[in-house]
Amino acid sequence: MPPRIPTTAVSSIFNLTSLLQSLPATTRSQALTKCSACLFSTTAPLEAKRTRKRKVRKHVDPYRLAQARQRKSANLARQKVLQAERELSLGDPVRSRPTPFVNSLQANAPISTMKESYLNYFLKADDVQKSLEYSKWLTEPLPETNPIVGAEARLAEKIKEHAASYGNASKALLAIASLENASSKDRTRINIQRCIEEFGRHNTEEDLAPGLQSKQNVRKESEDADAIAVTVPKRIGADTGSPEVQIAILTAKINVLANNLHKKDKSNKRRLRMMVHKRQKLMAYLRRQDRGGPRWQNIVEKLGLNDAMWKGEISL
């Protein structure tokens, strides 16, 4: 048989529990605090959570919530439509609107859109004609110093042969120098020359009103003398540095490159991005300086430029 527990031990246990139950709540909570040795969790945090005040949820009308969502979706759809209309009104930031001058700058444009004076290899029609006449004079047969019987007939035959060979040579030379056999690189070079002649200030100053005069350096001969403005020297040669000429040249290059750009051609895409941003800076500068004057209107109408090319941020 198991040993019997003495009655004294049982009475002491019962006396301990009854003593703990008879203690007040504050003492009992202090007695049941977390022990640092055994990390025993008590019921005090649970009681604190129960005693917290619960937040009362506000009543939400499902019909009003549905109406608010419907209004939001309608506003977002309207914003998309307005954004698309604004982008459409601004135009394409890369390609120009089709104009006669822009169409003639394309790589596949017919030669009839260009002047006949444009030739390949940096040649000019007058220089080619002079060279042909000089070569004909050099190769033309001369009469003999001591004529013999039948010399005149032989001379006439030689002259006919020379004229036929000269005609064939001149046709061959003009065909070689013609733009019909030119590459896209040669066409681009010719288009650059056309832009310089079309928008250069050495030609447009006669038709368009002069721009605003910039402030020149002022010098004084003495303290009491009046200020004398330094005169601007006249331009020598063709104008290649004005902003309208640079804008026209960049537009010609951008249109050709954008039409022939492939999806994976990253180097040319970077080159296109750089030219577009450079043109944007030049257009903003010209509009700021000319203030929407005749020079600005001239390039906008002839080159088919859009507001998206100089307004805001351009991302390709």
Side-chain angles (χ1 to χ4, degrees):
M1 294 180 64
R4 302 179 71 182
I5 300 173
T7 57
T8 56
V10 174
S11 62
S12 64
I13 294 171
F14 289 136
N15 292 335
L16 180 59
T17 55
S18 61
L19 180 61
L20 289 173
Q21 291 176 358
S22 63
L23 290 174
T26 57
T27 309
R28 189 166 43 185
S29 64
Q30 292 177 0
L32 297 177
T33 54
K34 187 180 291 186
C35 177
S36 61
C38 61
L39 299 177
F40 179 76
S41 61
T42 62
T43 58
L46 297 176
E47 293 180 358
K49 289 181 180 180
R50 290 171 184 171
T51 55
R52 283 179 189 170
K53 294 182 180 180
R54 294 181 179 178
K55 294 182 179 180
V56 180
R57 294 183 180 179
K58 296 182 180 180
H59 175 68
V60 179
D61 190 358
Y63 298 102
R64 294 185 62 184
L65 184 60
Q67 290 176 357
R69 290 176 179 172
Q70 188 177 5
R71 287 195 299 269
K72 183 178 180 180
S73 62
N75 290 335
L76 292 176
R78 181 59 179 167
Q79 288 179 7
K80 289 183 181 179
V81 172
L82 292 176
Q83 184 67 21
E85 290 179 356
R86 293 191 191 99
E87 292 178 357
L88 186 62
S89 63
L90 288 177
D92 190 1
V94 179
R95 292 179 176 86
S96 304
R97 289 182 283 105
T99 59
F101 187 76
V102 171
N103 292 334
S104 66
L105 294 176
Q106 300 296 335
N108 56 355
I111 305 298
S112 59
T113 58
M114 299 184 182
K115 295 180 181 179
E116 297 180 356
S117 59
Y118 293 108
L119 296 175
N120 201 0
Y121 305 112
F122 298 94
L123 298 176
K124 296 182 180 179
D126 298 337
D127 298 339
V128 172
Q129 191 64 28
K130 290 179 181 179
S131 300
L132 290 175
E133 292 177 358
Y134 183 68
S135 63
K136 181 181 179 181
W137 176 77
L138 286 176
T139 58
E140 188 176 5
L142 299 176
E144 296 179 2
T145 55
N146 298 323
I148 58 177
V149 178
E152 296 180 356
R154 287 194 299 271
L155 180 61
E157 291 178 359
K158 289 181 180 179
I159 291 174
K160 288 181 180 180
E161 292 177 358
H162 176 264
S165 61
Y166 170 76
N168 294 332
S170 60
K171 288 180 181 179
L173 183 60
L174 292 176
I176 292 171
S178 177
L179 291 178
E180 294 179 355
N181 300 323
S183 62
S184 60
K185 186 176 181 180
D186 297 329
R187 292 288 294 269
T188 303
R189 178 179 51 78
I190 296 298
N191 290 334
I192 290 173
Q193 294 181 3
R194 294 180 59 204
C195 292
I196 293 172
E197 295 180 3
E198 184 72 23
F199 297 97
R201 295 190 179 181
H202 62 285
N203 292 330
T204 58
E205 283 180 350
E206 300 177 358
D207 302 332
L208 301 177
L212 298 176
Q213 295 293 333
S214 61
K215 295 181 179 179
Q216 303 296 330
N217 297 326
V218 176
R219 59 181 177 84
K220 291 184 178 180
E221 296 180 355
S222 61
E223 296 181 357
D224 299 333
D226 296 331
I228 302 174
V230 178
T231 57
V232 182
K234 292 183 179 181
R235 183 179 289 106
I236 299 175
D239 175 26
T240 58
S242 59
E244 50 265 34
V245 173
Q246 295 296 321
I247 291 169
I249 294 173
L250 287 172
T251 301
K253 293 181 179 180
I254 287 170
N255 290 335
V256 174
L257 185 58
N259 294 333
N260 299 320
L261 187 65
H262 299 282
K263 184 177 180 181
K264 296 184 179 180
D265 196 354
K266 296 183 179 179
S267 60
N268 280 332
K269 188 175 181 181
R270 177 179 178 274
R271 183 180 165 208
L272 177 65
R273 188 185 298 112
M274 293 175 64
M275 288 194 295
V276 167
H277 285 87
K278 186 176 181 181
R279 183 179 64 178
Q280 181 188 19
K281 293 179 181 179
L282 289 170
M283 290 181 65
Y285 171 78
L286 180 61
R287 182 174 176 82
R288 187 169 61 250
Q289 294 294 325
D290 198 54
R291 302 177 185 177
R295 298 186 185 279
W296 173 261
Q297 296 297 332
N298 183 37
I299 65 167
V300 167
E301 292 175 359
K302 289 186 178 180
L303 295 176
L305 303 179
N306 303 315
D307 291 339
M309 294 179 180
W310 64 277
K311 278 186 179 180
E313 182 180 357
I314 298 175
S315 59
L316 301 180

